[in-house]
C-alpha cells in the first residue's frame, strides 16, 4: 500500500479558500473531513490556513465524528485516508496539537460507530509542529509505517513509526531533513515508488538539496537527488 502526501496546489487551495467551513478528502467510498474552523490556538504555522475543531470519518453505512476540547486543534492542511491497520478500511491520519504540548501524529479509527485514537507522543512544547511525510509499508515487512518531519523549522528530523497491535511504535530517525517553511500552506515532497521500493522525498535542512530516504533493515538511508526546487520535488514524487 502506497499513500502519497500531496506536495502543494490542490490540497492547499481546497483548504485555504478563505476560511472554508470544511475541507475533505475522499478515497473510494470513504471520506475524512475537517470542519469547525478556528484560530483559538493561533500558531499560524501554515499562514492563513485555519485550524480545525472537528474531524469526521464517513464510510459505507458508517459515520463518526470527534470534536476536540478547547485546548486542542487539528493543525493540518487536510486529513489523510490510509489503511493503517490492514483491515481493508481506511483510517484518518491527522496532526493534532495540544496548547500545552504541541503536535502529535494521530490515527483515528472507526470502531463500533465511534472514533478511537492512536497517537505518537506530543512534541512536548506549545507551538511546536510536525509535518507528515509518508504513510506506507516502507520496508516491505507487511506493517504500515507513518513518517513525519519533527519540527521542520527547528529540529528538522525525519521520524518513522510503525503500527503494531493497536499502537504506534518508534522505528528510526534521520536528521538534517525538512519539508516545510513557516507560512507555506502546503507540505513539500511526499512518498514515491519508482519501481525500486518506497522513498520519502524531502529537502535537506538547508533547502539546498532534494533528498530521497529509504527505510532499510530498521535504519533510514538518505541520498541527495540534486539541487532543490519545488518543481524538482514535485517531479521526484511523480517519478519524473
Amino acid at each position: 500500500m502506497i499513500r502519497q502526501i500531496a506536495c502543494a496546489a490542490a490540497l492547499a487551495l481546497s483548504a485555504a479558500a478563505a476560511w472554508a467551513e470544511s475541507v475533505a478528502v475522499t478515497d473510494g467510498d470513504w471520506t475524512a473531513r475537517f470542519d469547525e474552523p478556528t484560530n483559538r490556538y493561533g500558531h499560524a504555522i501554515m499562514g492563513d490556513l485555519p485550524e480545525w475543531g472537528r474531524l469526521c470519518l464517513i464510510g459505507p453505512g458508517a459515520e463518526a465524528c470527534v470534536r476536540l476540547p478547547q485546548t486542542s486543534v487539528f493543525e493540518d492542511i487536510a486529513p489523510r485516508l490510509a489503511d493503517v491497520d490492514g483491515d481493508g478500511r481506511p483510517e484518518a491520519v491527522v496532526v493534532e496539537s495540544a496548547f500545552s504540548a504541541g503536535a502529535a501524529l494521530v490515527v483515528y479509527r472507526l470502531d463500533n460507530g465511534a472514533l478511537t485514537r492512536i497517537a505518537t507522543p506530543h512534541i512536548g512544547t506549545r507551538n511546536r509542529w510536525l509535518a507528515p511525510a509518508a504513510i506506507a509499508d516502507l520496508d516491505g515487512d507487511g506493517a504500515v509505517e507513518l513518517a513525519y518531519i519533527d519540527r521542520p523549522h527547528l529540529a528538522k528530523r525525519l521520524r518513522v513509526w510503525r503500527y503494531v497491535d493497536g499502537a504506534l511504535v518508534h522505528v528510526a530517525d534521520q536528521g538534517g531533513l525538512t519539508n516545510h517553511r513557516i507560512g507555506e500552506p502546503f507540505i513539500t515532497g511526499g512518498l514515491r515508488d519508482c519501481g525500486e521500493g518506497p522513498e520519502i522525498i524531502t529537502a535537506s535542512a538547508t533547502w539546498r538539496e532534494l533528498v530521497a530516504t529509504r527505510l532499510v533493515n530498521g535504519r533510514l538511508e538518505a541520498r541527495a537527488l540534486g539541487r532543490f526546487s519545488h518543481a524538482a520535488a514535485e517531479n521526484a514524487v511523480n517519478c519524473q
Side-chain angles (χ1 to χ4, degrees):
M1 180 198 69
I2 299 295
R3 301 289 185 190
Q4 179 176 316
I5 305 300
C7 293
L11 209 53
L13 287 173
S14 65
W19 275 61
E21 290 301 310
S22 66
V23 58
V25 294
T26 299
D27 186 352
D29 295 329
W30 289 84
T31 297
R33 184 183 72 241
F34 286 146
D35 54 29
E36 298 184 3
T38 179
N39 66 352
R40 63 182 182 238
Y41 187 34
H43 191 197
I45 202 68
M46 292 177 289
D48 293 333
L49 296 189
E51 302 146 2
W52 305 93
R54 191 171 79 144
L55 168 72
C56 294
L57 182 59
I58 306 157
E63 178 176 354
C65 300
V66 60
R67 179 178 285 110
L68 293 180
Q70 291 295 308
T71 54
S72 296
V73 294
F74 296 111
E75 192 179 15
D76 208 343
I77 296 166
R80 296 152 199 84
L81 285 169
D83 184 6
V84 174
D85 60 9
D87 68 352
R89 304 186 307 168
E91 284 71 52
V93 181
V94 299
V95 180
E96 185 179 308
S97 292
F99 292 9
S100 62
L105 191 68
V106 183
V107 178
Y108 280 97
R109 182 176 183 271
L110 188 57
D111 187 15
N112 295 321
L115 291 180
T116 59
R117 182 182 184 276
I118 306 163
T120 65
H122 286 272
I123 289 171
T125 301
R126 181 183 177 92
N127 290 351
R128 296 295 181 265
W129 187 64
L130 61 86
I135 308 169
D137 179 3
L138 294 175
D139 57 0
D141 67 351
V144 172
E145 282 81 33
L146 300 94
Y148 62 78
I149 300 290
D150 176 5
R151 291 160 290 173
H153 324 111
L154 296 170
K156 301 182 180 181
R157 190 166 190 83
L158 177 64
R159 308 202 76 195
V160 176
W161 301 73
R162 180 178 292 127
Y163 178 87
V164 180
D165 296 331
L168 297 179
V169 178
H170 180 245
V171 176
D173 290 352
Q174 176 68 45
L177 302 172
T178 189
N179 61 352
H180 185 262
R181 288 185 172 111
I182 292 173
E184 289 181 337
F186 57 86
I187 294 169
T188 294
L191 180 70
R192 75 173 186 181
D193 188 339
C194 302
E196 298 181 354
E199 296 182 306
I200 302 167
I201 302 300
T202 66
S204 64
T206 61
W207 290 93
R208 293 177 181 172
E209 293 181 311
L210 188 64
V211 181
T213 304
R214 296 175 181 265
L215 180 64
V216 181
N217 297 324
R219 300 184 61 176
L220 291 169
E221 298 180 354
R223 63 188 178 93
L225 299 178
R227 189 169 184 83
F228 174 83
S229 69
H230 286 298
E234 186 170 357
N235 288 340
V237 169
N238 293 320
C239 300
Q240 297 175 355

PDB file of all heavy atoms in Angstrom, residues 25 78 144 178:
ATOM      1  N   VAL A  25     -11.218  14.954   2.179  1.00  0.00           N
ATOM      2  CA  VAL A  25     -10.558  14.097   1.202  1.00  0.00           C
ATOM      3  C   VAL A  25     -11.389  12.824   1.062  1.00  0.00           C
ATOM      4  O   VAL A  25     -12.024  12.375   2.023  1.00  0.00           O
ATOM      5  CB  VAL A  25      -9.115  13.754   1.616  1.00  0.00           C
ATOM      6  CG1 VAL A  25      -8.243  14.984   1.615  1.00  0.00           C
ATOM      7  CG2 VAL A  25      -9.084  13.073   2.971  1.00  0.00           C
ATOM      8  N   ALA A  78      -5.281  19.018   5.685  1.00  0.00           N
ATOM      9  CA  ALA A  78      -6.459  18.189   5.483  1.00  0.00           C
ATOM     10  C   ALA A  78      -6.175  16.831   6.109  1.00  0.00           C
ATOM     11  O   ALA A  78      -5.006  16.448   6.277  1.00  0.00           O
ATOM     12  CB  ALA A  78      -6.776  18.024   3.998  1.00  0.00           C
ATOM     13  N   VAL A 144       2.478  -1.189   8.287  1.00  0.00           N
ATOM     14  CA  VAL A 144       2.462   0.172   7.763  1.00  0.00           C
ATOM     15  C   VAL A 144       3.263   1.096   8.675  1.00  0.00           C
ATOM     16  O   VAL A 144       3.111   1.060   9.897  1.00  0.00           O
ATOM     17  CB  VAL A 144       1.015   0.680   7.626  1.00  0.00           C
ATOM     18  CG1 VAL A 144       0.978   2.164   7.276  1.00  0.00           C
ATOM     19  CG2 VAL A 144       0.276  -0.125   6.560  1.00  0.00           C
ATOM     20  N   THR A 178      13.966  18.423   5.983  1.00  0.00           N
ATOM     21  CA  THR A 178      12.783  19.233   6.234  1.00  0.00           C
ATOM     22  C   THR A 178      11.825  19.140   5.053  1.00  0.00           C
ATOM     23  O   THR A 178      12.200  18.692   3.959  1.00  0.00           O
ATOM     24  CB  THR A 178      13.164  20.699   6.518  1.00  0.00           C
ATOM     25  OG1 THR A 178      12.013  21.396   6.969  1.00  0.00           O
ATOM     26  CG2 THR A 178      13.728  21.380   5.286  1.00  0.00           C
TER      27      THR A 178
END
